[in-house]
Amino acid sequence: MVEEGGGGGAMSFLKRFPPPAEGVRHQQPDTEAVLAGRSLGAGTLYIAESRLSWLENSGVGFSLDYPTISLHAVSRDLTAYPWEHLYIMVNAKFEEAETKEAPLAEGEEEEDSDDDAEPISEFRFVPSDKSALEAMFAAMCECQALHPDPDDEDSDNDYEGDEYDVEAHDGMEVDTAPVVAGQFEDAEVDH
C-alpha cells in the first residue's frame, strides 16, 4: 500500500515470535505496518490485553507494551497520510540510526539538543478492510485501560477510595461547618 520506503534491509527490532494466544481482543489480518513513513510489510495486527503485536506472514514482527504507547487514534485525514489507519505514538525509538554526528571542530560549541526529550516513534497500521478501524480503536482503548500509566498525575485514582481531602491536595481552606436545612432559603438570587 505504501509506495515509498518499503523493502530493503531488515530492521533490528523485528523478531521471530509466536502470535499471542491469550487475551486477544482484536485480530486484524492483512494490515500494513508503517514506521516513520517506511513500510514494514503486510501482516496481522494482534490487539491483546498484554501487548500490541504485529507479525508479518513470515512470523517476524514486533510487540509494543501498552505503557510505552502514549497515543492511539484513528486517522482519516488523507492529506496527512494517503490511507485511513490506526495511528500509534510510542515513547521509544525504533528507527535505526542512519546518521552519525560529526565530531566538533576545535572552538565550536555544541548546539542545544533535545537529549532530555523522550524518544518518540510513530506507527501506522493500515488495514485492507477500512471498516475494521473502529473495532481496532475500541480494542486499543480497552487494552490501554488495563495498563494505566503509573506516572500519570491526572489519574482518577488519586485517593484510591478514601475520602478526598481538598485541603491536603489543593491547599485550599474549606469551611467545615455543617450545613443546616433551610440555611440558604432567604438568599437573594441574582439573574
Side-chain angles (χ1 to χ4, degrees), residues 127-175:
S128 61
D129 177 8
K130 302 300 179 248
S131 67
L133 282 168
E134 289 303 320
M136 292 165 65
F137 178 77
M140 279 294 302
C141 290
E142 292 168 8
C143 293
Q144 189 82 43
L146 296 173
H147 303 273
D149 184 352
D151 298 329
D152 186 3
E153 294 175 9
D154 296 330
S155 173
D156 293 335
N157 297 328
D158 286 339
Y159 56 91
E160 297 179 7
D162 297 333
E163 187 172 321
Y164 186 77
D165 184 351
V166 173
E167 290 180 38
H169 288 84
D170 299 331
M172 297 175 65
E173 290 187 30
V174 178
D175 184 7

Side-chain angles (χ1 to χ4, degrees), residues 2 4 11 13 32-40 52 62 64 68-73 75 80-81 85-96 118-126:
V2 173
E4 63 202 51
M11 299 197 119
F13 70 93
E32 180 182 22
V34 179
L35 171 60
R38 181 178 174 192
S39 176
L40 302 177
L52 177 71
F62 60 90
L64 303 172
T68 65
I69 298 173
S70 59
L71 176 84
H72 65 274
S75 176
Y81 193 76
H85 61 279
L86 180 67
Y87 174 85
I88 306 286
M89 185 184 294
V90 181
N91 294 334
K93 206 65 165 169
F94 288 91
E95 303 91 44
E96 295 185 88
E118 222 174 308
I120 299 289
S121 293
E122 296 177 323
F123 287 90
R124 299 175 195 272
F125 295 101
V126 185

Side-chain angles (χ1 to χ4, degrees), residues 180-189:
V180 178
Q183 177 177 352
F184 301 108
E185 287 179 0
D186 62 347
E188 294 182 25
V189 180

Side-chain angles (χ1 to χ4, degrees), residues 23-137:
V24 176
R25 297 278 180 110
H26 188 86
Q27 180 176 331
Q28 190 61 44
D30 200 21
T31 299
E32 180 182 22
V34 179
L35 171 60
R38 181 178 174 192
S39 176
L40 302 177
T44 301
L45 179 67
Y46 298 91
I47 303 172
E49 293 172 357
S50 58
R51 65 184 43 91
L52 177 71
S53 301
W54 176 85
L55 283 167
E56 196 175 47
N57 297 331
S58 68
V60 173
F62 60 90
S63 288
L64 303 172
D65 292 328
Y66 287 106
T68 65
I69 298 173
S70 59
L71 176 84
H72 65 274
V74 172
S75 176
R76 299 186 193 282
D77 182 1
L78 301 182
T79 60
Y81 193 76
W83 296 281
E84 294 179 2
H85 61 279
L86 180 67
Y87 174 85
I88 306 286
M89 185 184 294
V90 181
N91 294 334
K93 206 65 165 169
F94 288 91
E95 303 91 44
E96 295 185 88
E98 294 180 12
T99 59
K100 299 208 183 228
E101 290 184 28
L104 294 176
E106 190 173 326
E108 282 186 50
E109 290 186 23
E110 189 171 337
E111 292 181 26
D112 289 341
S113 66
D114 292 332
D115 287 343
D116 295 338
E118 222 174 308
I120 299 289
S121 293
E122 296 177 323
F123 287 90
R124 299 175 195 272
F125 295 101
V126 185
S128 61
D129 177 8
K130 302 300 179 248
S131 67
L133 282 168
E134 289 303 320
M136 292 165 65
F137 178 77

